[in-house]
């Protein structure tokens, strides 16, 4: 970073031009008297004391008045960064209290070229997930989101994680309990783009090196509209997820259980059927053709069609559906989740309650 860029960065944290001059005079020397700072910043010595107090308040220097003249000492860079980071966190909290999310009227895309921003976005999406997270993470970058994935699993979010690269298998072996970080874990020795998608609504797609801090010519695309997210999700489930080998899958949840997010219910049903359990279901939703409300009560689940856990049972890669037995015959039921919605099934539901027969 050039000196002019450093000055701009310090100014962005609220330092005046003279405060920047004074601080840089101290940093260059490690410590400096008020007289030396006065000369370097071209301000009166009486004003230096005011500047010194402000720099100390911001955590940039310490002021030693036991010396004559008074001595200013630069704090170590890591302490300065911590102090400035606290101010950023305070700003984030204050802005968050005021922030109202704008309507989604734009194109829903943003190009990102900073690896730090990509990491923050990836972590933020995992932190904000309420239902499920799909992530493709280079194994050597797993630590970038490890803490956030563990927190998501702990609060009941389904996490579908594909670890990529030559180190993927050894990483899984070293995780101890993979279920601490994911509901399903796959590994692949390829190097596809990194990917995080939350709740089918928003996420980020980045070149594989960006989570590792390689930003040179790399870039990422952030997206925040369900219709856009649906396209990214379709490509991921169709072309990338199948390349992985399933290395871990969580135990199915205890039944009866109600799922207010359809895909979670489909995954749970698939795990139970794999375990040899016959299922019945209550499904609350609509008839797709008419849009009229249509509920199924205590119907037998004949098939679960999905591509996320082995053995896969789909007829097309993005399928996530039940085939249920009704008085009028078999019915295909998709989900009212984010994105484009059902376009193949006769019925669509939001809430699923599963029972074992």
């Amino acid at each position: 970073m050039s000196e002019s860029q450093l000055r701009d960065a310090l100014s962005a944290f609220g330092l005046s031009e003279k405060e920047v001059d004074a601080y840089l005079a101290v940093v260059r020397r490690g410590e400096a008297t008020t007289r030396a700072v006065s000369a370097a910043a071209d301000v009166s010595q009486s004003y230096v004391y005011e500047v010194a107090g402000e720099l100390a308040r911001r955590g940039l220097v310490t002021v030693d008045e036991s010396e004559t003249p008074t001595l200013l000492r630069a704090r170590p860079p890591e302490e300065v960064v911590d102090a400035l980071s606290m101010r950023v966190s305070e700003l984030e909290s204050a802005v968050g209290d005021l922030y109202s999310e704008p309507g989604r009227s734009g194109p829903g895309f943003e190009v990102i070229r900073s690896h730090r921003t990509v990491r923050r976005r990836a972590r933020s999406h995992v932190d904000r997930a309420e239902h499920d997270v799909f992530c493709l993470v280079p194994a050597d970058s797993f630590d970038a989101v490890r803490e956030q994935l563990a927190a998501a699993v702990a609060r009941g979010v389904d996490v579908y994680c594909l670890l990529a690269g030559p180190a993927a298998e050894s990483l899984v072996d070293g995780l101890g309990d993979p279920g601490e970080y994911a509901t399903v874990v796959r590994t692949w020795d390829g190097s596809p783009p990194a990917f995080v998608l939350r709740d089918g609504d928003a996420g980020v797609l980045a070149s594989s090196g960006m989570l590792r801090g390689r930003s040179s010519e790399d870039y990422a695309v952030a997206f925040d509209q369900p219709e856009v997210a649906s396209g990214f999700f379709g490509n991921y489930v169709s072309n990338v997820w199948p390349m992985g080998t399933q290395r871990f899958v969580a135990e199915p949840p205890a039944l009866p259980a109600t799922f207010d997010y359809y895909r979670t219910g489909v995954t749970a049903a698939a795990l139970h059927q794999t375990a040899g359990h016959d299922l019945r279901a209550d499904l609350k939703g609509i008839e797709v053709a008419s849009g009229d409300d249509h509920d199924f009560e205590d119907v037998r689940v004949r098939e679960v069609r999905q591509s996320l856990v082995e053995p896969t049972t789909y007829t097309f890669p993005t399928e996530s559906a039940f085939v249920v037995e009704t008085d009028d015959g078999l019915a295909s039921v998709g989900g009212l989740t984010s994105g484009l919605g059902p376009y193949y099934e006769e019925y669509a539901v939001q809430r699923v309650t599963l029972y074992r027969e």
Side-chain angles (χ1 to χ4, degrees):
M1 179 182 288
S2 67
E3 181 171 328
S4 63
Q5 290 173 318
L6 177 57
R7 286 179 171 276
D8 289 343
L10 291 169
S11 298
F13 281 96
L15 272 68
S16 69
E17 181 179 350
K18 293 301 182 183
E19 288 167 349
V20 171
D21 289 340
Y23 176 60
L24 293 180
V26 177
V27 167
R28 289 191 181 98
R29 296 168 173 82
E31 61 181 29
T33 64
T34 53
R35 184 179 296 112
V37 173
S38 171
D42 192 24
V43 296
S44 67
Q45 193 162 346
S46 61
Y47 184 58
V48 168
Y49 287 97
E50 182 179 334
V51 171
E54 181 62 20
L55 295 178
R57 186 181 69 82
R58 292 176 178 273
L60 304 181
V61 303
T62 59
V63 180
D64 185 353
E65 295 182 344
S66 67
E67 299 284 345
T68 303
T70 299
L71 196 63
L72 279 63
R73 292 190 176 91
R75 295 182 65 183
E78 62 272 16
E79 294 182 11
V80 171
V81 170
D82 286 343
L84 296 178
S85 296
M86 288 181 63
R87 290 186 171 272
V88 172
S89 297
E90 292 169 0
L91 175 62
E92 180 182 18
S93 177
V95 172
D97 290 341
L98 297 174
Y99 177 72
S100 295
E101 186 172 358
R104 289 170 170 161
S105 57
F109 286 102
E110 177 187 359
V111 176
I112 302 170
R113 296 193 178 274
S114 164
H115 69 271
R116 292 185 180 89
T117 300
V118 170
R119 287 184 179 185
R120 285 197 298 268
R121 293 290 181 89
R123 291 166 178 162
S124 175
H125 283 304
V126 178
D127 284 339
R128 295 169 62 189
E130 297 179 358
H131 305 292
D132 64 15
V133 169
F134 287 84
C135 62
L136 191 161
V137 182
D140 57 5
S141 303
F142 183 69
D143 283 345
V145 291
R146 177 192 293 259
E147 181 180 334
Q148 289 73 24
L149 292 178
V153 170
R155 65 177 183 268
V157 174
D158 278 355
V159 175
Y160 304 88
C161 183
L162 175 57
L163 297 172
E169 291 192 13
S170 58
L171 173 62
V172 174
D173 293 337
L175 285 179
D177 177 14
E180 182 181 348
Y181 306 100
T183 309
V184 184
V185 177
R186 291 192 174 207
T187 60
W188 181 30
D189 60 6
S191 299
F195 179 69
V196 174
L197 172 70
R198 63 169 171 87
D199 299 332
D201 281 336
V204 61
L205 177 72
S207 55
S208 60
M210 291 201 77
L211 287 181
R212 295 193 295 271
R214 301 176 185 173
S215 55
S216 57
E217 299 299 322
D218 295 339
Y219 67 94
V221 175
F223 48 94
D224 63 0
Q225 289 186 344
E227 296 80 7
V228 174
S230 178
F232 282 107
F233 173 74
N235 176 69
Y236 177 73
V237 171
S238 301
N239 300 319
V240 182
W241 184 255
M243 301 298 292
T245 299
Q246 183 169 292
R247 295 293 305 278
F248 169 83
V249 62
E251 292 294 322
L255 300 181
T258 297
F259 305 91
D260 290 322
Y261 191 72
Y262 186 74
R263 190 155 52 222
T264 300
V266 171
T267 297
L271 296 178
H272 275 283
Q273 282 205 336
T274 299
H277 304 155
D278 293 327
L279 301 175
R280 303 189 74 83
D282 296 336
L283 307 168
K284 184 175 182 61
I286 63 170
E287 183 180 21
V288 173
S290 66
D292 295 336
D293 291 344
H294 192 102
D295 299 343
F296 297 95
E297 293 186 3
D298 193 31
V299 291
R300 186 183 182 199
V301 178
R302 287 284 298 272
E303 296 179 46
V304 181
R305 295 178 176 170
Q306 56 79 41
S307 61
L308 300 179
V309 296
E310 299 290 348
T312 56
T313 53
Y314 59 88
T315 55
F316 57 93
T318 60
E319 188 173 20
S320 181
F322 292 112
V323 175
V324 297
E325 200 174 281
T326 75
D327 292 340
D328 299 322
L330 298 180
S332 177
V333 184
L336 286 171
T337 50
S338 297
L340 300 177
Y343 53 87
Y344 177 79
E345 296 83 13
E346 306 162 79
Y347 301 92
V349 302
Q350 183 94 45
R351 174 174 294 180
V352 179
T353 301
L354 295 175
Y355 312 86
R356 286 183 60 177
E357 285 191 337

